[in-house]
Amino acid sequence: MNNETTTMIFEQLRKGTVPDEGHQAFAVGVEPVINEMLRNLDSVSSGEKKGNIKFLRGNYGCGKTFVAKYTLSLAREKGFVTSFVVISPNDTQFHNFQVVYHKICQNLQSNSSKSVGVIADALDRWFGLIEDALINTENLNYDDPKFDEAVINRFETELVSLLKDDVSQDFLSVIRAYFIAKQEGDVAKSGQLLSWLSGSPNVSAQAKKSAGIKGEIDSKTALTYLKGILSILNSAGYKGLMIVLDEMETILRERRDVREKSMTGLRQITDAVEGFRGSLWVFTGTEEFFDSPKGVKGLQPLHDRIGFQKVGEFVSLKQAQLELKPMNHDRLLNVSIRLRDLYNPPENKDRLNQVVDRDFLEKFVGLFTDGFKGQLGVVPRIYIRSLINIFDLVVENENFDPSKELKLPDDAKEELAKASKIADDIEENPYAEVSF
């Protein structure tokens, strides 16, 4: 792993966020789940390329976001385009799928491009493949006055064939107008059309008029447009598309009618997912999201499709839901050792290894696992931030001896108090309605 990636990992961990790359360096205890995700990526990108759906279940601190981002990075290495979207009652409500669609397009990422640039690259690659085919099989050349029209006819025919009943005339119109704008060198117009295609509501009326379209993509048509984007990615030579929708449990904070719309939408995606060829959809949520009447269990048809099954202590990884276990002492210790070995200061590495030895790490882990008394949901995030702070202090200050400061940091104490309160609230009223 290069120094730039290592630096990025520690900068993000200091902020309490999951890095976008380099997860394999400190992934502990998630190998079976990662292997199942890789199996699904191989499945959706081969044969008939039928889409599939997976759900990561586990309470706070179990590593759902970590596993999701780890799999996304592996998917990009395999040639997939990926998108990571956090569901939020404030700005990304799941039942408003036009907003979710826009976020998916905004957060597209390949190994070489990001955001709507991925769509632009895919369209250009696809157009290039069509042009090469016309030159090689139709004896046309770039100077032929009918060449551009032949390209348009070819990609429209391909899209109609791929999308069948899901094809939208507006979708075809925008792709056609985008191609013409590119050929004319109109960068502003092509950019506006890409923005519209990605679900942006902020597109000029003039740009829309030039493409013969009105209004914006709405919640009813967003899935159809997503299927169109996926068809372009497949046609451009990408392996497929992996989408992660994180923190689905935030839906539980919505009003009842909103929750019901969201659950119905999730059921519709579950039923339609095979038709999204080359796609792997991953949803993360807490146990309450999946098992409470306010969540998946409250919509029986959805629960019948994706309900979690367990026989004794045995759980199949091939079922829809993948269970993530909470952190324990041994996993935190192994993560600590890996992070210490990965830490790469320009100097004082020997001192770091000497002062922050296994004995110290055992005691430091014990502070958290004992102090939180089994409520480990917030431990990984706050623990890793505290651990990296110890690394930094040791490297920056020759007189600093962490063994003499062996106590829970103040922010960890605050998190402990919150965890205890949450545990009491859950015990008293596990599925309480939210007041508005």
Side-chain angles (χ1 to χ4, degrees), residues 380-408:
R381 173 177 57 83
I382 197 71
Y383 172 82
I384 288 173
R385 285 182 59 207
S386 301
L387 179 67
I388 294 174
N389 188 51
I390 292 292
F391 294 167
D392 293 336
L393 289 172
V394 168
V395 169
E396 294 168 8
N397 302 276
E398 291 188 5
N399 297 325
F400 177 70
D401 183 354
S403 64
K404 295 180 179 179
E405 306 289 342
L406 203 57
K407 60 182 180 180
L408 275 177

Side-chain angles (χ1 to χ4, degrees), residues 72 81-85 104 108 226 241-245 279-283:
L72 288 172
V81 171
T82 67
S83 186
F84 180 84
V85 176
I104 289 172
L108 288 174
L226 185 57
L241 172 64
M242 179 178 172
I243 301 169
V244 171
L245 297 172
S279 69
L280 178 61
W281 298 65
V282 177
F283 295 83

Side-chain angles (χ1 to χ4, degrees), residues 160-195:
V160 170
S161 176
L162 288 169
L163 297 174
K164 298 182 173 60
D165 294 339
D166 288 325
V167 71
S168 161
Q169 189 57 52
D170 280 354
F171 186 78
L172 294 176
S173 297
V174 170
I175 302 299
R176 184 191 309 117
Y178 173 80
F179 174 77
I180 293 171
K182 289 281 289 186
Q183 295 299 93
E184 294 175 348
D186 193 334
V187 176
K189 183 188 291 185
S190 63
Q192 286 274 295
L193 293 171
L194 274 182
S195 294

Side-chain angles (χ1 to χ4, degrees), residues 122-130 155 158-159 175 232 235-236:
L123 283 168
D124 291 346
R125 286 169 63 172
W126 183 35
F127 294 155
L129 291 171
I130 290 174
F155 69 63
E158 287 189 16
L159 280 175
I175 302 299
I232 291 170
S235 298

Side-chain angles (χ1 to χ4, degrees), residues 123-139:
L123 283 168
D124 291 346
R125 286 169 63 172
W126 183 35
F127 294 155
L129 291 171
I130 290 174
E131 290 171 349
D132 290 343
L134 289 173
I135 291 170
N136 295 328
T137 62
E138 304 293 334
N139 295 321

